[in-house]
Amino acid sequence: MKSKRLTLLLAVMGMCILTACGSEQEGENGEVVVYNWGEYIDPDVLTSFEEETGIRVIYDEFETNEIMYPKVEAGASAYDVVCPSDYMIRKMIDNDLLSEIDYDHIPNAKEHIGSQYFEQSREFDPENAYSIPYCWGTVGILYNKTMVDEPVDSWDILWDEKYADNILMQDSVRDAFMVALKRDGASMNSLDEAQLQAAKDALIAQKPLVQAYVIDQVRDKMIGGEAALGVIYSGEAIYTQRENPDLEYVIPKEGTNVWIDSWVIPKNAPNRENAEKFIDYMCRPEIALKNFQYITYSTPNEGARELIEDEDIKNSPIAFPDLSQYENLETFSYLGEEGDALYSELWKEVKSE
């Protein structure tokens, strides 16, 4: 994965250098400022968009929704296109940070994004007025078959002392608490203080067993055999299995998070027309397929899925699972300012122990 990181880094550096000197360095048709997750787009797609449209892409990255949100809220950096997750989109809607989507200007979204993904999006964007699905997936356990000899079907294994210093957890408040809450039979959107205290205590008890709290690094560590078990997003699991066939991905029996990351346009976007062109380009089946092949995160673009030539990938239970086979699946909800503050305070207590 390091080679991919380097490729993307060089591509992004190149675009930033070209745009850093001001408007005279803009493309012939202006620019679009994109704020996205790290390693969440094929850099060749950015290049081809620039070549086709004459619009220069300025590209910035974030690691978590919680890092992204205050930058957009502050407005110091005027982004045109942002890719938050479900619950954060709801927070941005509630705080009047987003523009409504004009689907007439983004026809590829109407034509190619599967209706079930728009339906799922209604949990955080009730009228599908502010967001267009980009990627989706689940969260589960990735384990190394040469290092784990018993069946893996429960979050409980992440508390097994046998795997001390061989467990990787997500360095994310909502993901970490999701694991602990689901393990205990609670909703991952719980605001019950007793349930949250129990989840906090469980995470603190787990800490001596955890090798590291990581985000992107879980891929390299699992591929390299540096850990036996890791909490991972399904898209990452697909890539790691390509690199190391000893790795398996499971959705625990207690349930998990089914997530959607979507394109949105901030209210203060200075280049709205170019933002619409960018999102429409990303919704073309051949472009969505190119991204899927590069980042390996599941695409909601039905046209792109039809173009997948590898039948094993097209029908992969990791990339495109039949969610009806699982119980207790949820999507993260926005919990309000007080809920956010409560989770953040409990997470600080976990990390400070």
Side-chain angles (χ1 to χ4, degrees):
M1 202 64 181
K2 290 180 180 176
S3 61
K4 269 193 187 178
R5 290 177 179 169
L6 181 58
T7 300
L8 185 53
L9 178 61
L10 292 174
V12 172
M13 286 176 62
M15 280 179 278
C16 291
I17 290 168
L18 287 169
T19 55
C21 298
S23 61
E24 68 212 32
Q25 296 295 326
E26 290 179 5
E28 59 185 285
N29 293 316
E31 63 190 25
V32 62
V33 187
V34 180
Y35 197 24
N36 195 9
W37 297 84
E39 301 181 64
Y40 213 35
I41 200 169
D42 184 337
D44 288 345
V45 166
L46 301 179
T47 301
S48 63
F49 174 79
E50 290 184 327
E51 291 173 347
E52 178 177 317
T53 64
I55 298 167
R56 180 69 64 199
V57 178
I58 301 176
Y59 195 82
D60 196 6
E61 296 181 346
F62 58 87
E63 281 196 325
T64 68
N65 286 289
E66 287 69 30
I67 290 172
M68 173 277 299
Y69 180 84
K71 288 191 69 175
V72 175
E73 181 184 38
S77 299
Y79 296 108
D80 298 308
V81 182
V82 185
C83 188
S85 300
D86 30 54
Y87 70 98
M88 193 57 71
I89 292 171
R90 182 68 197 202
K91 181 175 182 177
M92 296 171 87
I93 293 171
D94 288 355
N95 286 283
D96 198 28
L97 295 180
L98 301 181
S99 293
E100 289 197 23
I101 297 292
D102 186 340
Y103 284 91
D104 289 338
H105 294 168
I106 311 176
N108 282 316
K110 292 192 293 183
E111 184 174 356
H112 299 298
I113 302 299
S115 60
Q116 68 268 38
Y117 304 106
F118 279 118
E119 188 60 36
Q120 184 180 338
S121 296
R122 289 183 181 276
E123 293 188 29
F124 53 89
D125 183 2
E127 303 300 324
N128 294 132
Y130 297 95
S131 61
I132 293 177
Y134 173 51
C135 291
W136 72 282
T138 59
V139 179
I141 298 173
L142 188 71
Y143 69 98
N144 190 313
K145 293 180 290 186
T146 69
M147 303 170 73
V148 179
D149 50 20
E150 69 262 43
V152 178
D153 64 355
S154 168
W155 293 116
D156 278 339
I157 198 167
L158 301 178
W159 275 260
D160 191 331
E161 293 184 359
K162 183 195 307 184
Y163 300 106
D165 202 37
N166 263 311
I167 296 169
L168 302 173
M169 287 287 288
Q170 286 287 320
D171 192 10
S172 161
V173 54
R174 293 300 299 270
D175 287 321
F177 270 86
M178 181 277 289
V179 171
L181 286 164
K182 282 293 189 186
R183 174 176 177 254
D184 205 32
S187 167
M188 66 187 195
N189 295 309
S190 177
L191 286 172
D192 182 285
E193 290 199 23
Q195 291 179 342
L196 291 174
Q197 285 292 335
K200 181 202 76 172
D201 292 342
L203 290 170
I204 290 173
Q206 182 203 34
K207 276 192 75 176
L209 311 180
V210 175
Q211 180 190 117
Y213 294 92
V214 290
I215 300 176
D216 291 340
Q217 302 94 322
V218 67
R219 293 172 304 208
D220 295 331
K221 284 179 172 290
M222 292 300 295
I223 289 169
E226 297 178 42
L229 299 145
V231 178
I232 199 167
Y233 300 110
S234 53
E236 306 281 16
I238 295 169
Y239 176 81
T240 60
Q241 285 185 321
R242 289 180 183 174
E243 300 296 308
N244 185 341
D246 290 327
L247 300 176
E248 289 287 347
Y249 176 81
V250 295
I251 295 174
K253 61 186 178 184
E254 299 93 346
T256 192
N257 173 25
V258 179
W259 52 268
I260 291 183
D261 293 340
S262 301
W263 297 118
V264 301
I265 300 176
K267 263 202 167 176
N268 68 338
N271 305 292
R272 181 182 175 87
E273 183 177 341
N274 288 347
E276 293 170 338
K277 290 179 179 178
F278 180 84
I279 296 173
D280 192 58
Y281 187 80
M282 298 298 293
C283 291
R284 286 187 193 175
E286 66 274 17
I287 298 302
L289 174 64
K290 190 173 179 65
N291 267 323
F292 169 69
Q293 291 172 331
Y294 184 85
I295 66 176
T296 65
Y297 276 86
S298 304
T299 176
N301 192 302
E302 292 186 340
R305 188 176 177 187
E306 285 302 311
L307 294 175
I308 298 173
E309 295 181 354
D310 187 328
E311 291 297 321
D312 289 339
I313 294 295
K314 183 184 286 190
N315 300 307
S316 165
I318 299 177
F320 303 104
D322 177 1
L323 298 181
S324 66
Q325 296 182 358
Y326 301 96
E327 297 181 355
N328 301 318
L329 302 179
E330 295 182 87
T331 298
F332 280 131
S333 299
Y334 171 48
L335 303 174
E337 297 296 334
E338 290 186 6
D340 275 357
L342 176 58
Y343 270 75
S344 295
E345 182 58 37
L346 293 172
W347 184 232
K348 286 178 184 176
E349 292 180 35
V350 172
K351 296 298 286 290
S352 64
E353 283 292 326

